[in-house]
Amino acid sequence: MAPRTAEIAGAGLAGLTLATRLAQLGWHVRLHERNDELRMYGAGIWLWESGLQTLETLGAFDQATKRARTIREWRIADHGGKPLMSRYTGPGDRMLLPPRADLYAALIARAEYYGVDIVTSSLVTGMSADGRIEYANGKTSRADLVVAADGAYSRLRESIFCTAWMDFGSQAGIRMLIDRSDDQPDDTIIEYWHGARRLLFNPCTDEQDYIFLSAPVGDDRAGRLPVDRDLWAADFPAVADLVHRFAEDGRWDRLVNVRCRRWSAGHAAVLGDAAHAMPPNLGQAANTAFINAMALAALAEQNKDITTVLPEWERRQKAITDHVQRWSYYYGFVLGHCPSPLLGTRARTLGRLSQTQWFDRNLNRGARHQPMGSLAVH
């Protein structure tokens, strides 16, 4: 019997994960990238238990995490360094923090190992429920499964009328890798809050640390590149020395939310940020894409009828995805919309809530999720 076929548009983390897992299960997969080479932007990336189990199943874990720091604690603190909340990790609830480029290279290597046909300079302009994709040059292809994994600003999502809404949000972020200093912790993420501004320190490798800054979109001085070191040092005096080591080549991003009225139609689906882009407040966007890719492949392995698989996939995965996206959104809302007179109340409330089982269960629901078909479930 001929192998089933998949055409996937978008060779980012979501597209590579699905392509690799399908090929691992015997599919013939073609992965399209519109650029002339595979590129990964960003700095570091949070990999929770759900993402790590995905990488282990794909055989990408060792390469992706070879330089990664193992994180023991995620701490939120005020601008002076006073702790407001701590979230600890442990066996079965891991968190590692590699450079994003290491993760990307590992996924590319596994895709190539399993024979995924990666085609660069291939612009997919449309897809349809009957399993057809269209190219910019006018040609078409058909497959058992076609997937749009082309990011939050997906060109393909509306080919099957998926979008419910796209919210550009009120926050923007700056990401960078900086040279490591021995006076910084090597196993603790520290997220400093000052009003609506945030400075996030992430241990990444032996040589570099990952910095994420966020502020309201209208905060022109905070969003300036190169970074205004005097501003951030004054706002966060506890880490003023760290601020003055910031790199000049940071990346600025608008933090967006995407909600879809559905993820699929017939033989076509949307995946990753194209389906559920979210602010990086919980470090869960990529991990959520991973578990959804794994679930799609697992269900397709159980049932050969893709038109039956895709609605079942959405039914099973939508709840966990909506939950993670909702909590990420709420987090940003509380951070960015708290009036100045209530900042003390915000800090005290966070401290109390973080001690409850309800908060722990909801905050970490996505991070602790076991992907369908992962080695840990077998």
Side-chain angles (χ1 to χ4, degrees):
M1 180 181 295
R4 287 185 289 171
T5 57
E7 300 272 1
I8 302 172
L13 298 178
L16 276 165
T17 299
L18 179 61
T20 303
R21 184 56 177 156
L22 289 175
Q24 193 179 38
L25 294 173
W27 287 58
H28 181 273
V29 184
R30 184 158 53 186
L31 180 62
H32 301 271
E33 171 54 47
R34 62 177 299 178
N35 294 307
D36 58 2
E37 62 181 356
L38 300 183
R39 304 170 186 169
M40 176 50 59
Y41 299 103
I45 186 166
W46 293 14
L47 293 177
W48 295 98
E49 185 66 35
S50 56
L52 295 173
Q53 288 187 21
T54 298
L55 296 178
E56 288 169 339
T57 303
L58 299 180
F61 178 89
D62 290 343
Q63 181 178 349
T65 64
K66 63 184 177 183
R67 298 195 297 154
R69 290 288 185 180
T70 298
I71 302 303
R72 180 185 61 87
E73 178 190 359
W74 166 25
R75 181 189 310 161
I76 297 177
D78 66 17
H79 62 286
K82 179 183 177 182
L84 304 177
M85 184 199 91
S86 284
R87 193 278 198 202
Y88 293 92
T89 64
D93 185 25
R94 299 167 292 170
M95 181 185 181
L96 275 70
L97 210 160
R100 186 177 287 259
D102 288 7
L103 170 62
Y104 195 52
L107 289 173
I108 292 170
R110 297 310 286 174
E112 293 174 341
Y113 175 83
Y114 285 110
V116 174
D117 182 11
I118 302 175
V119 186
T120 56
S121 301
S122 181
L123 177 58
V124 179
T125 57
M127 67 179 186
S128 58
D130 63 357
R132 180 172 50 88
I133 63 169
E134 304 168 0
Y135 306 99
N137 62 10
K139 295 182 178 181
T140 63
S141 298
R142 288 184 182 273
D144 296 301
L145 172 66
V146 295
V147 179
D150 53 339
Y153 302 95
S154 173
R155 293 168 173 260
L156 302 177
R157 188 167 50 227
E158 278 310 280
S159 296
I160 55 172
F161 305 107
C162 285
T163 312
W165 54 262
M166 185 171 180
D167 175 14
F168 286 89
S170 60
Q171 294 277 311
I174 298 172
R175 296 173 169 88
M176 70 185 80
L177 290 171
I178 67 170
D179 291 338
R180 177 159 181 79
S181 173
D182 290 339
D183 61 355
Q184 298 298 329
D186 60 11
D187 63 358
T188 303
I189 294 168
I190 308 179
E191 180 175 344
Y192 299 92
W193 287 10
H194 187 174
R197 293 174 181 162
R198 174 173 44 156
L199 186 160
L200 187 61
F201 166 82
N202 305 266
C204 192
T205 71
D206 289 343
E207 296 81 27
Q208 291 182 305
D209 293 318
Y210 164 37
I211 302 296
F212 177 75
L213 310 174
S214 74
V217 170
D219 190 342
D220 294 335
R221 190 177 174 191
R224 186 181 302 165
L225 285 174
V227 172
D228 187 333
R229 294 183 178 88
D230 291 337
L231 170 69
W232 290 96
D235 265 4
F236 299 97
V239 285
D241 290 345
L242 176 69
V243 171
H244 288 297
R245 293 193 291 107
F246 281 179
E248 298 289 347
D249 58 347
R251 173 184 168 90
W252 186 96
D253 292 291
R254 185 77 176 266
L255 309 184
V256 300
N257 293 269
V258 171
R259 292 292 299 274
C260 286
R261 50 190 291 269
R262 63 181 183 182
W263 289 353
S264 66
H267 292 261
V270 292
L271 179 71
D273 281 352
H276 53 71
M278 65 186 78
N281 297 320
L282 304 183
Q284 279 292 322
N287 294 268
T288 303
F290 289 164
I291 65 173
N292 288 338
M294 290 287 289
L296 176 50
L299 291 169
E301 182 72 358
Q302 297 170 13
N303 187 339
K304 305 303 181 185
D305 182 1
I306 290 298
T307 62
T308 301
V309 166
L310 291 178
E312 176 65 11
W313 167 63
E314 183 171 347
R315 186 188 70 79
R316 293 198 184 201
Q317 296 300 116
K318 196 74 161 53
I320 181 68
T321 301
D322 286 350
H323 176 89
V324 173
Q325 188 182 46
R326 186 165 54 247
W327 270 68
S328 180
Y329 185 86
Y330 290 162
Y331 187 113
F333 187 88
V334 169
L335 178 66
H337 294 84
C338 185
S340 296
L342 296 180
L343 292 177
T345 301
R346 180 181 72 176
R348 290 190 294 273
T349 301
L350 175 63
R352 291 169 184 151
L353 275 178
S354 67
Q355 302 301 313
T356 67
Q357 291 184 355
W358 173 85
F359 185 87
D360 177 78
R361 181 175 63 254
N362 283 282
L363 181 71
N364 299 300
R365 182 177 167 189
R368 293 169 178 160
H369 183 82
Q370 284 197 338
M372 290 182 64
S374 73
L375 297 175
V377 179
H378 291 166

